């Protein structure tokens, strides 16, 4: 391919076909290719007097930075106004700027003949068209004079512009007025219809993208055509199949609700048991630490450790809740789809949101420290009491043997019994504190189970509502589509035949386009004789 015109026409045809197929992704892909072509360097020569030529060049330069980046504007030989002239071979197109209120005279026709001999493409620009009483009549008169002079092969485009309207619209950022000025249509024409040399890498990349779009459309339309050809002429079979599909979806609309109800009940039981099991493990580990020593020595540290373990257990349980809720959504989708392999069958899954129970964890208070065991003074008093009892007990026995009540034996027995009472009282104190610590830990775990269990049930209800609402909407859409298919199958087969004809025509055009992409040229395209003011995207 020698230039950009052929590639631009192929791009336009591919874009039309992608739009007919409803493939927004392919249209966007072609838009990227269009931006590549728009960024190519383009040299535009302007042929006119100083006033008209400079005004049009300024207007084009003001909007071309975004709509046609890389474009440059120079004076055509024999013109003045821009300040820089270039030889004919350096410009890709020349703009013959004239006043729309004036017909082409001998000077304009001679200038057109000279420009057509020097430049590959010539575009007639009718400036100040807003002051022309009848633009269509003026264009027709100019066209007749150009044809009579034998200078309209190929036809010279005649594009009306208004520099005054363009500058005013740009200052006010008025899109309708900017489009009405005709300047964006002129820039669009230069971008899409003016041939210029292309870099080989840019040409090859554009052709690869165009071929990719065509190769995406061909199998899709071919498959649809094969399917529809089987339906044409057999409305009875299509109606029976549509009714059967509607009945199947009505049955599935009941089965997925049963699956959801059973699944939510099962999910609640699973996560509740998982939470109880994890909290039981926390309680067992707390009991083990209590049994190893006296937790009263570092009770705040022991309480913080138990709370951290509770937080870890609850976090793990909620992670299980999220995973099993997602698995439940997949099972319900499979029931709704009714596929033989048990897959979701293309049904969209809802987004499961399970919030972490931060509020419930904050409401779990610290464990109160154990109060049992008594003080050192109480243990000393108990020891003295035990010593006194030992002295009296042994002294009575020694007095029966003829000795005094207070003797070495009675005093020694009293000391031994006092020491034994002291250590036994200390041991009992530690056991009481351990028992109270176990009770405090059990109360803490019971409170955690109560708080977290309540939050967990709230989360389960939210998951249930989310799944129910989502799949209700999906089920209603599926039933509506099936009912529409039954009504469509009951109508005349003409719509299917029309679609078949459209697909056949489109496939023929796609095949031709693929063949033309192998050479990069569209032989069916020809030059256009003019362009109306159409809506284009504003550059600001």
């Amino acid at each position: 391919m020698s230039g950009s015109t052929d590639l631009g026409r192929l791009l336009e045809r591919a874009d039309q076909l992608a739009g007919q197929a409803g493939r927004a992704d392919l249209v966007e892909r072609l838009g990227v290719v269009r931006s590549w072509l728009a960024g190519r360097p383009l040299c535009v020569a302007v042929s006119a007097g100083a006033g008209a030529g400079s005004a049009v060049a300024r207007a084009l330069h003001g909007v071309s930075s975004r709509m046609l980046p890389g474009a440059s504007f120079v004076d055509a030989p024999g013109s003045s106004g821009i300040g820089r002239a270039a030889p004919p071979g350096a410009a890709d197109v020349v703009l013959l700027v004239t006043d729309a209120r004036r017909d082409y005279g001998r000077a304009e026709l001679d200038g057109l003949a000279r420009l057509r001999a020097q430049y590959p493409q010539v575009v007639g620009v009718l400036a100040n068209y807003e002051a022309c009483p009848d633009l269509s009549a003026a264009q027709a008169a100019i066209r007749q004079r150009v044809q009579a002079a034998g200078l309209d092969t190929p036809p010279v485009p005649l594009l009306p512009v208004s520099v005054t309207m363009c500058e005013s619209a740009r200052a006010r950022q008025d899109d309708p007025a900017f489009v009405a000025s005709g300047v964006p249509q002129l820039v669009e024409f230069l971008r899409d219809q003016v041939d210029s040399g292309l870099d080989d890498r840019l040409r090859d990349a554009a052709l690869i993208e165009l071929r990719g779009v065509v190769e995406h459309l061909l199998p899709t339309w071919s498959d649809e055509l094969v399917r529809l050809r089987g339906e044409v002429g057999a409305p009875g079979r299509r109606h029976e199949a549509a009714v059967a599909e509607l009945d199947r979806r009505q049955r599935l609309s009941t089965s997925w609700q049963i699956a959801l109800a059973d699944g939510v009940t099962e999910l609640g039981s699973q996560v509740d048991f998982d939470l109880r099991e994890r909290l039981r493990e926390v309680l067992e580990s707390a009991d083990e630490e209590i049994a190893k020593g006296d937790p009263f020595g570092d009770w705040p540290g022991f309480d913080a450790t138990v709370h951290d373990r509770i937080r870890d257990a609850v976090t793990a349980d909620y992670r299980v809740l999220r995973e099993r809720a997602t698995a439940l959504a997949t099972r319900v989708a499979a029931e709704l789809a009714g596929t033989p392999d048990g897959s979701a069958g293309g049904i969209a899954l809802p987004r499961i949101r399970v919030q972490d129970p931060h509020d419930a964890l904050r409401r779990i208070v610290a464990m109160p420290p154990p109060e049992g065991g008594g003080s050192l003074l109480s243990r000393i008093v108990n020891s003295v009491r035990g010593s006194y009892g030992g002295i009296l007990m042994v002294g009575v026995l020694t007095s029966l043997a003829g000795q005094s009540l207070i003797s070495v034996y009675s005093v020694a027995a009293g000391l031994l019994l006092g020491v034994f009472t002291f250590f036994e009282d200390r041991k009992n104190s530690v056991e009481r504190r351990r028992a109270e610590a176990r009770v405090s830990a059990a109360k803490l775990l019971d409170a955690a189970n109560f708080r977290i269990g309540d939050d967990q049930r709230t989360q389960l209800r939210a998951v249930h509502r989310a799944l129910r609402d989502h799949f209700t909407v999906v089920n209603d859409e599926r039933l509506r589509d099936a009912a529409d298919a039954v009504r469509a199958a009951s109508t005349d087969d003409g719509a299917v035949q029309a679609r078949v004809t459209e697909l056949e025509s489109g496939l023929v055009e796609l095949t031709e386009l693929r063949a033309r992409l192998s050479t990069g040229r569209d032989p069916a395209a020809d030059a256009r004789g003019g362009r109306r003011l159409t809506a284009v995207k504003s550059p600001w």
Side-chain angles (χ1 to χ4, degrees):
M1 182 176 66
S2 61
S4 62
T5 303
D6 293 331
L7 185 57
R9 290 166 180 163
L10 294 176
L11 175 63
E12 184 176 355
R13 296 184 66 192
D15 186 71
Q16 293 174 353
L17 292 174
Q20 292 177 6
R23 294 293 302 271
D25 56 331
L26 298 182
V27 173
E28 182 178 359
R29 184 172 171 181
L30 292 174
V32 175
V33 179
R34 193 182 301 277
S35 66
W36 295 348
L37 298 181
R40 72 188 189 276
L42 184 68
C43 183
V44 181
V46 180
S47 175
S54 299
V56 171
R58 284 196 308 270
L60 292 175
H61 182 73
V63 300
S64 63
S65 58
R66 292 190 180 183
M67 297 182 66
L68 190 60
S72 60
F73 301 91
V74 297
D75 270 342
S79 301
S80 62
I82 299 178
R84 183 169 64 90
D92 299 304
V93 63
V94 63
L95 303 181
L96 178 58
V97 182
T98 60
D99 195 303
R101 294 168 293 183
R102 290 182 52 190
D103 196 358
Y104 271 23
R106 175 52 55 186
E108 287 79 8
L109 294 176
D110 291 342
L112 177 59
R114 176 174 52 82
L115 294 176
R116 300 212 67 161
Q118 293 177 344
Y119 292 91
Q121 290 176 281
V122 179
V123 177
V125 177
L126 306 181
N128 302 320
Y129 85 89
E130 76 282 3
C132 182
D134 191 347
L135 177 62
S136 300
Q139 286 179 312
I142 294 175
R143 179 70 61 192
Q144 290 177 359
R145 287 190 174 275
V146 173
Q147 290 176 349
L151 300 176
D152 202 34
T153 305
V156 177
L158 299 175
L159 305 180
V161 298
S162 174
V163 176
T164 303
M165 293 176 60
C166 176
E167 293 177 349
S168 175
R170 289 183 61 197
R172 293 180 285 110
Q173 293 190 357
D174 187 351
D175 286 345
F178 175 72
V179 172
S181 71
V183 174
Q185 286 79 6
L186 176 57
V187 176
E188 187 184 62
F189 183 89
L190 296 176
R191 182 193 65 192
D192 297 338
Q193 302 300 323
V194 174
D195 195 8
S196 65
L198 285 178
D199 180 74
D200 291 341
R201 291 178 297 178
L202 176 60
R203 177 199 60 195
D204 294 341
L207 288 176
I208 289 173
E209 290 296 320
L210 285 171
R211 293 191 191 102
V213 170
V214 173
E215 294 301 330
H216 271 86
L217 291 176
L218 274 172
T220 303
W221 281 11
S222 298
D223 295 342
E224 184 180 358
L225 180 60
V226 171
R227 178 178 59 83
L228 291 180
R229 278 177 174 171
E231 296 179 1
V232 173
R237 290 197 302 270
R238 287 193 297 113
H239 183 266
E240 293 175 0
V243 171
E245 178 64 17
L246 178 59
D247 292 340
R248 188 182 75 90
R249 293 188 179 185
Q250 288 175 343
R251 291 193 300 271
L252 294 176
S253 66
T254 302
S255 63
W256 76 263
Q257 297 181 53
I258 296 175
L260 176 60
D262 294 343
V264 169
T265 302
E266 182 181 358
L267 177 61
S269 300
Q270 290 174 348
V271 295
D272 180 69
F273 177 79
D274 183 80
L275 177 63
R276 291 177 180 274
E277 185 178 21
R278 293 180 188 276
L279 294 180
R280 181 183 178 186
E281 293 175 357
V282 173
L283 181 60
E284 290 176 352
S285 63
D287 287 342
E288 291 177 0
E289 291 191 10
I290 292 172
K292 290 179 181 178
D294 187 2
F296 187 75
D298 187 18
W299 184 258
F302 174 72
D303 180 70
T305 300
V306 175
H307 275 78
D308 290 341
R309 290 175 180 173
I310 291 175
R311 184 178 296 103
D312 294 340
V314 171
T315 301
D317 178 70
Y318 273 63
R319 185 165 53 250
V320 171
L321 173 59
R322 291 188 185 93
E323 294 173 353
R324 296 188 179 180
T326 304
L328 173 61
T330 305
R331 291 199 304 271
V332 174
E335 288 290 336
L336 180 58
T339 54
D341 57 352
S343 61
I347 294 179
L349 297 179
R351 183 179 179 182
I352 306 299
R353 296 182 179 180
V354 178
Q355 304 294 335
D356 291 330
H358 299 299
D359 293 337
L361 288 172
R362 281 195 294 266
R363 297 176 65 183
I364 301 176
V365 299
M367 292 185 294
E371 299 177 355
S375 64
L376 178 63
L377 179 61
S378 64
R379 289 201 297 270
I380 292 175
V381 171
N382 290 335
S383 299
V384 171
R385 187 182 296 113
S387 298
Y388 177 75
I391 291 174
L392 290 179
M393 180 179 62
V394 176
V396 171
L397 293 177
T398 56
S399 63
L400 293 177
Q403 297 183 3
S404 62
L405 181 65
I406 304 299
S407 64
V408 175
Y409 300 105
S410 62
V411 171
L415 291 175
L416 291 175
L417 189 58
V419 171
F420 175 79
T421 302
F422 181 84
F423 285 102
E424 187 68 19
D425 191 47
R426 178 182 178 184
K427 177 182 177 182
N428 292 335
S429 176
V430 171
E431 291 297 330
R432 283 194 297 272
R433 284 200 298 269
R434 287 176 178 173
E436 291 182 11
R438 290 189 181 93
V439 172
S440 297
K443 289 181 178 180
L444 175 66
L445 270 299
D446 183 66
N449 187 35
F450 175 75
R451 298 293 183 189
I452 303 303
D454 180 68
D455 185 85
Q456 188 183 81
R457 288 186 291 272
T458 302
Q459 299 280 8
L460 281 172
R461 289 192 294 270
V463 169
H464 187 190
R465 286 193 298 270
L467 295 178
R468 181 195 61 201
D469 296 343
H470 173 79
F471 287 112
T472 297
V473 172
V474 174
N475 181 64
D476 291 343
E477 291 178 354
R478 286 167 55 85
L479 290 176
R480 224 172 11 249
D481 293 342
D484 292 341
V486 172
R487 286 192 294 269
S490 302
T491 59
D492 185 32
D493 202 36
V496 177
Q497 182 61 52
R499 179 59 177 166
V500 169
T501 304
E502 181 182 0
L503 288 174
E504 290 174 344
S505 176
L507 285 172
V508 171
E509 191 169 1
L510 278 174
T511 305
E512 293 177 354
L513 183 57
R514 180 170 61 176
R516 288 164 183 169
L517 285 173
S518 62
T519 60
R521 182 172 297 277
D522 184 3
D526 54 1
R528 297 183 180 179
R531 169 169 284 197
R532 293 178 297 174
L533 297 180
T534 56
V536 296
K537 186 178 180 180
S538 173
W540 44 72

